[in-house]
Amino acid sequence: MTFNALWASREDGAISVELRRIDDAQLMDGDVTVDVEYSTVNYKDGLAITGASPVIRTFPMIPGIDFAGVVAASRHPDFAPGERVLLNGWELSQTHFGGYAQRARVRGEWLVKVPAAFSTRDAMAIGTAGYTAMLSVLALEKGGLTPERGPILVTGASGGVGSVAVALLSQLGYRVIASTGRPEETSYLQRLGASEVIDRRTLSEPGKPVAAPKWAGAVDSVGGHTLVNVLAQTDYRGVVTSCGLAQSTDLPGSVLPFILRHITLAGIDSVNAPQWARTEAWQRLARDLDLAKLGQAETLIGLADVPEIARRILHGQVRGRTVVDVNR
């Protein structure tokens, strides 16, 4: 059988992406074949498709760092035809064909069964960004932060990770401060549960190594001076999670917040996270995420729309979660 896929190739250092028909014989090795229904556009997808960062290591490539669908065939003992599954990260869009196709063949140990509370579309409305947000919330909890400890800051709040983090934290009873460079999204962030919305410019320039504390913890997807200023304004024994680099990969700061205030900086890796961590995150998403709020954060597109959205996401022009209906 043949099916639609976004096909990325590279010539003279430039990446081109086209919609083409391919067949099963062109798929990579794996013991589970999935009829893909939905994928998403994440910041990392933007980096991959535009070539802004060398995410794709093997060409040609089907990009897309996640997908959800139904098992079509399986030689893996944990998965049977007809089961709904999802995949986040691992080698997708790097060295293994990803989710921007109507069919995928992958290793079974990369897959997670879609929780009963979610449809495959819900699973990708959450996607890698939302799963990363949940990993971040779990890290805050494991660091001892409760709603009583004080507010939680979310940077890049109108993006994918930020939107889901705001929704999750507010649902769990935390007071959420949302940082965004898009003031027109204030009402959107308030609907997700933000108690306060601040301008990202208050955090994006060099600041003091230690400043008056304003929050008990934070979920940061920005990095750079923003993350340094977040740390500087975190209260004693606070926890800050780091999962992104929208501003910079640099950390141009001081050790003083760690020494004087016992701050914990927790790195969040969603790509190679062990299966137990993935299962815990998806179980908690099924329990704690308000699907009505998730719906407010979702935009649906087709495969042909992906390259343009991938470009826009790098410029902060995409709100919330972009779901790709691969059959549209």
Side-chain angles (χ1 to χ4, degrees), residues 10-239:
R10 182 174 62 186
E11 185 174 351
D12 297 328
I15 296 176
S16 61
V17 181
E18 63 175 330
L19 187 62
R20 65 161 61 177
R21 300 288 290 181
I22 68 170
D23 60 39
D24 273 11
Q26 293 173 268
L27 293 175
M28 291 182 166
D29 290 340
D31 51 11
V32 181
T33 302
V34 179
D35 286 328
V36 178
E37 295 178 341
Y38 297 97
S39 183
T40 67
V41 183
N42 300 277
Y43 191 84
K44 186 175 179 180
D45 294 310
L47 294 173
I49 288 176
T50 63
S53 181
V55 172
I56 300 175
R57 301 173 191 169
T58 301
F59 288 92
M61 175 59 63
I62 296 173
I65 66 169
D66 53 18
F67 67 74
V70 178
V71 175
S74 175
R75 293 180 284 106
H76 192 283
D78 293 341
F79 299 98
E83 290 187 304
R84 300 178 309 133
V85 293
L86 62 89
L87 200 162
N88 304 105
W90 292 116
E91 297 176 16
L92 292 197
S93 195
Q94 297 184 86
T95 60
H96 198 95
F97 285 176
Y100 294 154
Q102 293 174 309
R103 206 161 168 89
R105 185 181 298 125
V106 296
R107 294 166 57 180
E109 57 263 37
W110 293 348
L111 294 168
V112 173
K113 293 181 181 180
V114 175
F118 297 142
S119 66
T120 51
R121 178 170 170 173
D122 293 334
M124 285 298 99
I126 298 166
T128 295
Y131 146 69
T132 302
M134 188 73 250
L135 290 174
S136 300
V137 171
L138 288 168
L140 297 179
E141 292 179 345
K142 290 171 183 177
L145 295 193
T146 62
E148 293 70 32
R149 286 284 303 276
I152 303 296
L153 173 74
V154 177
T155 66
S158 60
V161 173
S163 293
V164 179
V166 170
L168 280 169
L169 288 163
S170 63
Q171 187 72 15
L172 291 168
Y174 293 88
R175 180 174 178 269
V176 181
I177 302 172
S179 168
T180 181
R182 302 168 68 187
E184 67 274 16
E185 302 294 4
T186 295
S187 60
Y188 161 74
L189 292 168
Q190 290 172 335
R191 292 195 301 272
L192 291 182
S195 299
E196 181 181 351
V197 179
I198 64 174
D199 192 324
R200 71 180 179 194
R201 289 177 294 182
T202 63
L203 297 169
S204 61
E205 299 298 326
K208 297 178 180 179
V210 179
K214 294 182 179 179
W215 34 76
V219 174
D220 178 65
S221 60
V222 177
H225 288 295
T226 295
L227 176 54
V228 170
N229 287 318
V230 169
L231 291 164
Q233 297 175 60
T234 300
D235 209 348
Y236 187 73
R237 284 189 173 267
V239 179

Side-chain angles (χ1 to χ4, degrees), residues 284-298:
R284 283 292 302 274
L285 283 161
R287 191 191 83 180
D288 296 329
L289 184 59
D290 184 340
L291 288 179
K293 288 184 177 180
L294 182 65
Q296 295 180 47
E298 176 193 351

Side-chain angles (χ1 to χ4, degrees), residues 261-284:
R261 290 191 180 154
H262 199 103
I263 305 301
T264 296
L265 176 59
I268 303 298
D269 166 45
S270 61
V271 176
N272 298 300
Q275 206 66 5
W276 64 263
R278 294 167 183 268
T279 301
E280 180 183 19
W282 280 100
Q283 288 175 344
R284 283 292 302 274

